[in-house]
Structures are given as structure tokens and as C-alpha cells.
Amino acid sequence: MRTVSRALARVARLSRSRRRALNLAPASSSSPSVHSRPGERKRFFSDSLPGGAFESQSNLLNQMAEGASNEADVAEARRERDRLLAEIGKDCIAKRRLVHNTCLKAAAIAGLPGKAEEIYQEIVDDIGEENLNHKTFGKIMQAYATANPPDLGSVEMWATKAQDLGLNDDVFAANVLIQAKLEMNHPKKTKEAEQILESMVEKKILPDKISFTSLINAYAQLGDVDRAGRWYQEMRKANVYPDAQTYNVLINARSKRGKETKDPKQVEEAERILVEMGREGVVPDTIAFNSIIDASAQLGDVGRAGRWFEEMRKAGIQPDAFTFAALINARSKRGKETRDPGHIDKAEQIFEEMVREGITPHIISFNSLIDASAQLGDIDRASRLFENMQKTNMRPERETYNILVNAYAQRGKSNTDPKQVEEAERILEDMIQNEIEPDIVSFTSFIDASAQLGDITRASRWFEVMREAGLQPNEFTYNVLINAHSKRGKETRDPKEAEKAENILEEMEERGIRTTEVSYNSVIDAAAQLGDIKRAVRLFHAMKSKGVQPDVRTFGALLHACSKAKGFELAMDLLKEMKEKHIQPNAYTYSILINIHSKRGKETRDPKEAEKAEKVLEEMEER
């Protein structure tokens, strides 16, 4: 790259006369085509470009070409071309080529390579292949590059054909080829594009802003911000001056890297580039400021985000909905992290400022505020914001509803308040009525709250609604119901509830949902509490056969069953297995073991059992 830099600098320093001598000057109305044949030069000069009438008509054709987007537009451009050609003499090669190339431009911009090839053949038939120029091939390459999907192979084929005719020394054609390769979004093709830019120097073609910015953007998109930065330096060394797009690419790349890596130094580099942008006389725009404000916000640096917001104001740049959304999100996030409602107050003030300035809030802003309020337990504020959102005719999305459903569900669980769960249910029903499809999150938080409050009927009903909606319950949803029925079975001493819990577990396995120790512990504990040691042991063996490893809670439930059913021998086997699996007993397990040995001692009148109970107690105290 260093060699390229030196060569670029040399080319950039060439005087205008020297550049023309090297065939670097583009063809214009007052100079011969750099690719004209000796015999053609005379005709070019003798056919000087016409005055007002023809210029006006050719400008009209050019406007049609630049606005082309479909076959009908290209057909109209061809008709206008034919009308112009009818007024131009056959020997006026330069004029005819200009008109043809402008028509070809229509097909290129519309991304219609088939039409471009038809027009190309019409050009050859009219003025001959020997009178084509680099613009002709550049437009055909552009047509293939902008096609859907882009056809890189054809772009390269036409580039080769131009090269064979000695017409490849054009920055436009080179840029088309560079951009076509970059469109593939592959490191290998990006490297090839880089090589094309390097070869431009060897051919004494001075790369322009498009050449460099395309490559800088490609490396930024690939996440290689260092290489993007190096090509920016090469651009400066070549005396090619970046524009707002170039700077925005670099600022966004550094900001994005900062967010991904949580590295404030990347954001500082983005700031440096923004300052340089202003120093070089390039007016920063909303995009540049937003990138840095958002990155600062994502890193939790609300102070820096706020400072750049003020700098944006001073520069006379109008913030947009994205700017305000970044600031609101920063304050909301900080409020959740610190549990400080002051940050939520500040976020709401920023929101109100946005509204006063006539900027329509983005739904992200509403969601950030509603979520932060809900997380801090201020559901009244969350509900008020939700109502304000609806008053602005902004349609709440699934995430918005989920935040509120979860907020009321959590409050219902925390306060054991069924009215809060009923409000969560009302919001869920409103969501469905407004044709916003709930997801697993929507249903599960509500089902969990209902189950926690012992309303298994409501939980089961919404579980069925979820399945009828085509949603597959996940591990957590199933575990909620298993635990609810198990808990109900223990409380009511009803073995049917334990059976329901086991049936749900079996359904879970049949549907391929991963079962864990949480799933099995609930049903084992329910069986144990009901004194059904056979069911508990059967489930224990099934658990292990499925590859689910028991934990201390599993053994605690089984030991409890042994204690109730006088299963001393089984208890000793379980204790042995616990030690083999290196599972450390907890206080509950120790208390059960003490109880088992004490009971055993009373039954057998064996003082050794009392000693064993005492030993277990000592072990527990030591731990």
C-alpha cells in the first residue's frame, strides 16, 4: 500500500497539461476523445458540438436516462434517441456517440443489461466498433452491476472486452467494476476490488472519491475498520478530498465497533474524525452526529451523548427522531441500571422536547420509556406513556404490549394481587383484538403469574390459546405448568394433580422440548410429598435414562419420600449415590437424614442410629 501511496501522490501532482499527455483528461465538448483513432480526430473537431437547440434536446434525453427505472422508461429514451439521431448527419460520429451513450445510460441506471446489450449493438451498427469509447463500456458494465441480482461475471467480461480494445483507462468503468466486486460482500472480492484500485495508478488513472469511498465502505462493512482507515489515509495522500459520505462511513464504522466491543476508544476515534471533518470544511450532518451519540448512549456514557447533542445544536444541525431515541434510550438504560428514577424523569423531559419541536417520536423512544418505568416498578407512568402513544395514533408493537403484560404479571406475583394479573390479561386480550400476534414471551409471563397465584384454570386456558395460535410452548412455559400442578397436588393432597404434572412432562418430551432437573424435580417432589415413593423412584430412574442429571433438590425430595415411607435402605443407597456424584447435601437434606436415622433408631432400638444422626448433625454444623 505504501508503494501505491507514493504513486498516487505523483499522479495527483501532475499538471493539467501533463495529465492530458498521459490520456487522463476526460473527453469534453472542447477536446478530442482520448480514445479516438487518428482518422476520427478530424471528424470530431469538424463536428463541433451544436448550440442551444441540440443541447436542450440532449439534456432532455439525459434527464430521461437518469430517471429510468423500467423497460418502458428505456423504450422512451430509445425513441427520443432515434428522433435526435435523425437530425444528426451520419458523419457526425461524436454527436451520434454522445446520443447513443446517453440512451445506454438509461438501461444502465434501470439495471437492464439485456436492453443495454441491444443498445450496444445498435451503437456498433451505427458508428462501428472502432468509434466506441470508454463510456460505452462503462455503461454496459453498470447495467450488469445494478441488475437484480448483480452479474459480476458479465461486468468482468465487458471490462476485458474494453481492455482488448484499449478502452479500459476510465475511472468510471473502473469504479463500476470495483463496486460490482464489493457488492458480493466477500473478503476475496473486496481484495480484488482493492487490486483494481491499485492497478488504476499503474494505468495512470487517478482514482476519485467514489473509488476510495467504495473501498473504505466495504472494509467498514466487513468490520475491518483499521484497513478502512488506512485507505482513508491513502485517499488524503492522493489529494482526493473526502466528502460527507466518506466521513460518515468512517464515523459510523468506529462507532459501531465501539458498541460491539464496548470500547470507548473507538468512539473517541469517531469523535476525532468528526472534528477533522469540520476542520476540513465538510459540514457534518445528522448521520455523523447520530452515530456518535448512539454509540455513547450504548456504552452508557450519557454525559458524552448529551455533550454531542449540544454540539449538534450549536452547529445548526437539526436532530431527528433517531437522535432523540438514542438519548432517551441512554437515560432509560441508566435508570434501569442504577434504579434511579431521576434518569427516567430526564428521559421523559427529552421526549417532551422532541414533541415540542414537532418531531414524531419513534416507537423505540416509547418502548424505552415504558420499559424503564416498568422495570422500576412505576407501572402508572408506563401505562400513561402507553396511553399517550395511542393518542398520537402510533400503533403499539408486540414489544410494547409484552413490556406491559410482564410488568402487571410481575407486580401480581410480587404482591399476590390477582387484580394485577387480570390487568395483564386485559392487555393481552387487547393485543390480540388489535391483530398484533403475541409471541411466547407474551403468553409465558402471564401464564406464570396466573400459576404462581394458584389460578391453574386460567393458566391452562391461556396455555391452550397459545397452542391454538400456532406457538410452540418452550421449556419455561411447560415447567411453569408442571410446577403449578405439582404445587397444587402437594397443597390439596390430590394425586390427580401430580398425575397432570407428569402428563405435561411426558407431552414435553414427546414434542422434543428439552427437559431439565427443574422439570423432573417438580413431579418427583409432588410424588414424594404425597408419600408415593414408587412413583418418585420411577421418575428418578426415568430422569437419569433421559440424560438429565439429578441435583441436591432431587435427592432431597427422594429422601423425604423415604422418610415418610420408612424406606431406610433406599435412603442409604441414595446417600451413597449422592457422594459418588459429589453432590453436597444442603440443610434440608441433612435435616431429612437426621430424621431418618432418628426414626430408625426408635424402631430398632439401636443406639448406633442415634450416633449416626448425631454424626450427620456435626457434619452439617462443620459445613
Side-chain angles (χ1 to χ4, degrees):
M1 191 179 284
R2 190 174 299 168
T3 303
V4 174
S5 176
R6 289 198 295 268
L8 283 171
R10 287 199 301 273
V11 175
R13 288 194 297 269
L14 289 173
S15 66
R16 182 170 296 181
S17 59
R18 175 61 177 156
R19 287 171 63 196
R20 284 177 178 165
L22 291 172
N23 288 341
L24 287 174
S28 68
S29 59
S30 60
S31 61
S33 167
V34 296
H35 302 298
S36 301
R37 276 57 173 177
E40 182 193 339
R41 288 176 183 265
K42 185 176 181 180
R43 288 201 301 275
F44 190 101
F45 283 105
S46 63
D47 300 334
S48 60
L49 288 176
F54 181 78
E55 183 176 346
S56 175
Q57 293 171 347
S58 61
N59 283 342
L60 175 62
L61 176 59
N62 187 58
Q63 290 174 10
M64 293 170 64
E66 289 184 345
S69 61
N70 52 47
E71 290 190 11
D73 292 340
V74 176
E76 187 178 356
R78 290 169 86 170
R79 285 193 294 271
E80 179 64 18
R81 174 207 60 185
D82 292 343
R83 192 180 68 77
L84 283 170
L85 289 175
E87 299 177 7
I88 302 173
K90 283 286 185 180
D91 61 337
C92 298
I93 300 299
K95 294 180 187 178
R96 299 184 75 83
R97 182 174 58 212
L98 173 64
V99 172
H100 278 302
N101 282 347
T102 305
C103 180
L104 184 58
K105 183 180 182 180
I109 289 177
L112 298 171
K115 296 299 178 184
E117 289 209 29
E118 289 177 10
I119 296 170
Y120 170 80
Q121 191 56 52
E122 290 166 354
I123 300 173
V124 173
D125 292 343
D126 183 31
I127 65 174
E129 190 176 68
E130 70 277 7
N131 288 313
L132 302 178
N133 67 4
H134 54 268
K135 291 186 178 180
T136 310
F137 288 93
K139 295 303 178 188
I140 296 179
M141 290 164 64
Q142 183 184 7
Y144 278 104
T146 56
N148 187 18
D151 185 349
L152 178 58
S154 294
V155 173
E156 292 176 329
M157 181 194 74
W158 281 97
T160 301
K161 187 168 185 177
Q163 185 175 1
D164 292 342
L165 293 172
L167 300 174
N168 65 325
D169 55 340
D170 173 47
V171 67
F172 176 80
N175 284 346
V176 169
L177 188 54
I178 286 172
Q179 291 173 322
K181 287 183 178 292
L182 296 178
E183 190 71 26
M184 305 300 288
N185 197 29
H186 190 280
K188 181 181 178 182
K189 295 301 178 183
T190 303
K191 185 64 179 176
E192 291 176 5
E194 189 175 59
Q195 291 168 351
I196 293 171
L197 196 154
E198 292 170 346
S199 70
M200 289 170 72
V201 181
E202 297 171 6
K203 297 172 184 175
K204 299 181 177 63
I205 304 172
L206 184 63
D208 61 10
K209 282 186 287 191
I210 295 174
S211 316
F212 284 106
T213 301
S214 297
L215 199 57
I216 290 168
N217 183 57
Y219 277 116
Q221 291 293 322
L222 290 170
D224 193 344
V225 293
D226 294 330
R227 197 159 189 84
R230 287 198 294 274
W231 274 107
Y232 166 72
Q233 294 303 324
E234 294 299 322
M235 183 180 191
R236 298 305 305 268
K237 291 174 185 176
N239 290 330
V240 177
Y241 294 99
D243 58 12
Q245 182 184 2
T246 315
Y247 281 114
N248 284 344
V249 166
L250 291 165
I251 290 168
N252 184 62
R254 289 291 179 182
S255 298
K256 185 179 178 182
R257 171 65 69 83
K259 290 189 291 185
E260 292 172 345
T261 61
K262 305 296 182 185
D263 183 0
K265 289 184 179 179
Q266 296 293 332
V267 183
E268 290 170 7
E269 179 62 17
E271 289 177 327
R272 187 196 64 74
I273 296 168
L274 179 56
V275 171
E276 180 181 321
M277 181 181 186
R279 191 170 57 241
E280 292 295 324
V282 180
V283 179
D285 57 13
T286 307
I287 296 172
F289 280 103
N290 281 354
S291 294
I292 294 177
I293 291 171
D294 182 54
S296 302
Q298 291 289 331
L299 266 65
D301 193 342
V302 293
R304 171 177 276 161
R307 285 195 300 276
W308 278 106
F309 179 71
E310 293 304 320
E311 290 296 326
M312 187 178 189
R313 292 282 204 194
K314 291 176 184 177
I317 307 297
Q318 177 62 43
D320 59 12
F322 183 84
T323 319
F324 283 104
L327 291 168
I328 290 167
N329 183 59
R331 287 289 180 180
S332 299
K333 184 179 178 182
R334 174 62 67 84
K336 289 189 292 186
E337 292 171 347
T338 62
R339 313 298 297 173
D340 181 359
H343 286 290
I344 313 300
D345 293 338
K346 182 62 177 176
E348 194 164 3
Q349 290 170 13
I350 296 169
F351 183 90
E352 291 168 355
E353 180 183 348
M354 171 175 56
V355 174
R356 282 196 303 271
E357 294 189 14
I359 298 173
T360 302
H362 195 284
I363 195 166
I364 293 173
S365 301
F366 275 110
N367 287 347
S368 295
L369 270 172
I370 293 170
D371 182 50
S373 302
Q375 290 283 333
L376 267 67
D378 192 349
I379 300 182
D380 293 336
R381 191 206 296 252
S383 297
R384 174 172 54 78
L385 289 164
F386 181 72
E387 290 172 4
N388 290 342
M389 181 181 188
Q390 293 176 309
K391 287 177 183 177
T392 62
N393 294 322
M394 180 170 289
R395 179 181 169 85
E397 60 184 12
R398 181 161 54 202
E399 182 184 351
T400 321
Y401 278 105
N402 283 353
I403 291 168
L404 286 172
V405 170
N406 184 64
Y408 279 106
Q410 291 298 324
R411 180 188 274 187
K413 286 197 301 182
S414 301
N415 300 339
T416 319
D417 184 355
K419 289 184 178 180
Q420 299 297 322
V421 180
E422 287 171 8
E423 182 61 19
E425 184 175 39
R426 186 195 64 76
I427 295 169
L428 188 54
E429 289 171 344
D430 184 56
M431 181 181 185
I432 295 170
Q433 187 175 353
N434 286 323
E435 298 182 348
I436 296 176
E437 294 184 5
D439 59 8
I440 293 293
V441 175
S442 319
F443 285 108
T444 300
S445 59
F446 172 72
I447 291 170
D448 180 42
S450 300
Q452 289 289 330
L453 266 66
D455 193 344
I456 301 179
T457 302
R458 174 180 274 154
S460 298
R461 184 174 71 249
W462 279 99
F463 182 79
E464 291 305 321
V465 171
M466 178 172 63
R467 291 206 292 195
E468 287 169 6
L471 293 172
Q472 174 66 48
N474 60 18
E475 174 189 327
F476 181 78
T477 320
Y478 273 110
N479 284 340
V480 163
L481 284 180
I482 289 170
N483 184 63
H485 282 290
S486 298
K487 184 179 178 182
R488 171 71 67 81
K490 291 186 290 184
E491 291 171 348
T492 62
R493 315 300 298 170
D494 184 356
K496 289 183 179 179
E497 292 295 334
E499 289 174 9
K500 288 178 182 178
E502 189 175 349
N503 290 339
I504 295 170
L505 177 64
E506 290 173 357
E507 179 187 320
M508 189 177 180
E509 291 175 334
E510 288 170 1
R511 292 180 177 271
I513 308 298
R514 186 176 74 100
T515 53
T516 65
E517 69 278 4
V518 175
S519 317
Y520 275 98
N521 285 348
S522 293
V523 290
I524 290 172
D525 186 45
Q529 291 289 338
L530 290 167
D532 192 344
I533 192 168
K534 288 184 179 180
R535 184 196 292 268
V537 171
R538 174 172 57 78
L539 288 165
F540 177 63
H541 289 308
M543 176 186 193
K544 293 191 290 184
S545 69
K546 299 291 184 181
V548 180
Q549 294 300 315
D551 60 9
V552 68
R553 189 183 165 202
T554 317
F555 284 101
L558 289 165
L559 287 169
H560 180 75
C562 292
S563 174
K564 295 186 72 172
K566 299 181 181 180
F568 180 78
E569 298 299 331
L570 177 60
M572 295 302 101
D573 290 339
L574 290 169
L575 183 60
K576 179 181 178 183
E577 186 172 345
M578 275 187 79
K579 291 179 178 179
E580 290 173 351
K581 292 181 178 296
H582 304 289
I583 296 174
Q584 179 63 45
N586 57 19
Y588 177 68
T589 317
Y590 276 121
S591 66
I592 294 173
L593 287 171
I594 291 169
N595 186 49
I596 288 173
H597 284 297
S598 297
K599 280 186 177 182
R600 180 73 169 178
K602 290 177 182 178
E603 291 170 3
T604 61
R605 304 287 184 177
D606 185 353
K608 289 183 179 179
E609 293 299 331
E611 292 174 5
K612 289 178 181 178
E614 189 174 346
K615 185 177 179 181
V616 171
L617 179 60
E618 289 173 357
E619 182 181 334
M620 180 175 68
E621 290 173 346
E622 287 175 1
R623 294 184 180 278

